[in-house]
Amino acid sequence: MFHDHAKIFVRAGAGGDGVVSLRREAHVPKGGPDGGEGGRGADVVVVCDASLRDLAGFRGGKHFKAERGGHGRGANKHGATPAPLELRVPPGTVVEDPEAGERWELLEPGQRTVVACGGSGGRGNKQCATATRQTPRFAERGLPGQDRMLELRLRLLADAGLVGLPNAGKSSLLAALTRARPKVADDPFTTIEPVLGTLESDDRQLVLADIPGLIEGASEGAGLGHEFLAHVERCRLLVHVLDLQPLDGSDPVANHAAVERELREHGGGLAILPRILCLSKADLVPEERAAAAVEEWRERLGNTVVDVHATSAATGAGVRELAAAVFRHVPPDEGEQHHAGPVAHRVYRPGSGDAFRVERARDGLFRVEGDRVERLVARHDVENDEALRYLEERLRAMGVIRALQAAGFEPGDDVEIGGTVFELDPGAPFR
Ligand SMILES: Nc1nc2c(ncn2[C@@H]2O[C@H](COP(=O)(O)OP(=O)(O)OP(=O)(O)O)[C@@H](O)[C@H]2O)c(=O)[nH]1
Ligand SMILES: [Mg+2]
């Protein structure tokens, strides 16, 4: 089974907590704070790995959680930041966070992108000390790591794709053109997952994709082809393989039209990709018949195709000419197969917004929302009086207390910030 999509949950590591510690040394009369900082949590990173073929490693919608940062320790020791959690994907993988509208493409082996950032570590009491609070007995907590539901989709990176009805001879052609050895048989749907082969000339290499046969209704999900049509969206050329004289007695003209219709209906730009028409199994008809068919099809299709060839995978006739035509009609491209456009690298940065919103949830309970305010509260243990007092000072400096007051807040009312509810009773009169 070829796994070309997966849905996963990722969570980066939380930052380690800062620690409260007081220096104790025989010869120092009054020890100061020396609690170290927590380490940053580990990121979740997606890495492009050329040795992988599909997304089978992600089946079953797994959860991936990176390690949390180490907690700070006494003697001003900082917690460790663990190595990132690496998720390895094959080239051509698109990673998407539909909720956040973010998207990354992994095309080049070795390419990496951070998809979830570790939370920052909390400061230790040493770093929390100020001129007016020289020995704080609180430290900050580490922040949670970012989490996301991600969708992974693999698009094979082929330069040209072989398309056609089942049994048209696509896999036989791939085998004749490249070193790939896909299964060949005289029943339809022999190929059940895409196979790639490399077409080589002296100075160029192109990747050719053989996909399962298309049938009427493929674009709506009939047969196997639909699922795999997406893999040829990135091609720069399609080779439409058409059986010159189908054993089932069907009409090549109608067969050709049916496949073209499915390509059009699939969308994704397939309709406008340049086409080579390849009339297959030419050894089954007299040579003159094959040559005449090439002329007929050239006339019939006009400039909707860039070339028409008759080939036989059995005798090798016309195969070299077809290869040359593929090279000719796939335009050169920097990095040859990496032509899928710019790669989006978006690194998450915790919300920059200082903005916050205050609302009265009910009598005696006020809710405050805003990135910075929520992070501030997440950092502190509201059960610790000293931390709570510090928090009040910061909230006052940010204008939150004034805003609460304007909304009708009175000392002793409850406040909910980022899911934490606590009683706020600012000691000093409001200013
Ligand atoms: N005589 C002759 N038979 C061929 C030629 N190419 C393919 N065949 C036969 O046609 C049948 C189908 O060939 P495949 O290459 O498996 O066709 P396909 O298009 O990959 O078929 P699906 O994977 O089922 O879509 C097999 O029995 C092949 O041996 C050819 O050039 N000459
Ligand atoms: Mg096949």
Side-chain angles (χ1 to χ4, degrees):
M1 181 69 191
F2 183 77
H3 292 272
D4 58 0
H5 49 259
K7 230 183 199 172
I8 60 171
F9 174 81
V10 296
R11 173 175 286 150
D17 295 338
V19 76
V20 175
S21 167
L22 298 175
R23 201 178 335 137
R24 265 178 258 275
E25 284 172 50
H27 56 278
V28 183
K30 206 171 151 209
D34 71 350
E37 194 178 350
R40 233 172 68 80
D43 294 336
V44 180
V45 172
V46 179
V47 184
C48 184
D49 182 342
S51 71
L52 296 174
R53 235 183 101 248
D54 67 8
L55 298 169
F58 298 97
R59 79 182 152 236
K62 287 190 184 158
H63 286 212
F64 297 89
K65 294 179 185 156
E67 254 179 271
R68 76 165 300 155
H71 298 312
R73 280 176 298 145
N76 207 19
K77 289 204 182 79
H78 292 185
T81 293
L85 174 63
E86 291 187 349
L87 307 181
R88 309 190 82 82
V89 298
T93 302
V94 176
V95 179
E96 198 163 2
D97 174 350
E99 203 172 300
E102 288 183 79
R103 189 170 183 275
W104 301 266
E105 284 192 329
L106 289 111
L107 303 177
E108 316 264 352
Q111 192 187 333
R112 34 198 305 134
T113 183
V114 175
V115 293
C117 272
S120 56
R123 294 182 302 164
N125 69 332
K126 161 128 200 217
Q127 290 146 307
C128 292
T130 59
T132 53
R133 185 185 282 110
Q134 297 192 358
T135 311
R137 287 187 170 69
F138 68 92
E140 288 179 343
R141 288 173 172 164
L143 290 182
Q146 192 185 12
D147 59 34
R148 299 176 183 267
M149 285 298 301
L150 293 177
E151 283 174 21
L152 310 184
R153 267 173 300 118
L154 173 63
R155 293 285 175 267
L156 296 175
L157 295 177
D159 299 292
L162 299 169
V163 295
L165 291 184
N167 262 338
K170 302 176 295 298
S171 300
S172 305
L173 260 183
L174 186 75
L177 288 162
T178 73
R179 255 183 281 199
R181 288 294 167 261
K183 194 171 161 212
V184 167
D186 63 0
D187 30 50
F189 304 118
T190 305
T191 303
I192 53 171
E193 57 186 56
V195 182
L196 298 183
T198 308
L199 194 58
E200 303 197 42
S201 72
D202 293 342
D203 56 348
R204 255 180 117 190
Q205 280 194 341
L206 293 179
V207 177
L208 215 56
D210 169 26
I211 64 164
L214 303 174
I215 55 169
E216 182 121 33
S219 61
E220 280 144 25
L224 295 166
H226 175 60
E227 242 184 275
F228 297 109
L229 272 177
H231 291 294
V232 291
E233 284 172 11
R234 277 188 172 164
C235 290
R236 286 174 285 165
L237 174 83
L238 294 181
V239 177
H240 183 156
V241 182
L242 185 69
D243 197 334
L244 253 182
Q245 190 175 272
L247 276 179
D248 63 5
S250 59
D251 171 21
V253 176
N255 292 346
H256 178 268
V259 167
E260 289 296 327
R261 190 168 53 243
E262 296 309 324
L263 294 175
R264 240 182 353 262
E265 270 157 29
H266 172 80
L270 291 185
I272 56 166
L273 282 177
R275 301 268 197 289
I276 290 178
L277 178 66
C278 169
L279 302 171
S280 62
K281 311 189 193 177
D283 56 289
L284 296 181
V285 299
E287 222 168 290
E288 320 77 67
R289 236 316 258 74
V294 168
E295 287 314 313
E296 275 165 36
W297 279 98
R298 281 214 169 108
E299 216 158 283
R300 183 174 293 126
L301 298 175
N303 56 14
T304 62
V305 287
V306 294
D307 228 335
V308 179
H309 285 269
T311 59
S312 165
T315 67
V319 170
R320 277 183 48 195
E321 291 79 356
L322 175 66
V326 171
F327 278 115
R328 208 162 46 244
H329 295 291
V330 173
D333 190 86
E334 307 119 55
E336 200 70 75
Q337 51 173 298
H338 308 301
H339 47 81
V343 178
H345 283 284
R346 283 195 208 99
V347 176
Y348 169 81
R349 284 190 189 78
S352 55
D354 286 0
F356 60 84
R357 214 160 54 89
V358 169
E359 68 175 17
R360 180 188 210 121
R362 56 174 161 75
D363 243 16
L365 177 66
F366 293 78
R367 189 172 295 125
V368 185
E369 286 174 358
D371 286 348
R372 193 161 150 237
V373 182
E374 287 173 26
R375 276 206 306 281
L376 179 68
V377 172
R379 284 241 184 254
H380 294 95
D381 173 11
V382 294
E383 304 289 313
N384 175 324
D385 281 347
E386 201 173 327
L388 185 58
R389 243 175 297 136
Y390 170 77
L391 191 59
E392 286 167 15
E393 283 167 30
R394 297 285 304 275
L395 292 174
R396 171 165 299 127
M398 289 166 74
V400 175
I401 293 197
R402 203 175 323 121
L404 278 166
Q405 191 189 17
F409 169 86
E410 290 184 24
D413 282 347
D414 284 341
V415 174
E416 182 191 326
I417 302 179
T420 304
V421 179
F422 56 101
E423 186 183 316
L424 196 57
D425 194 357
F430 292 136
R431 267 180 278 269

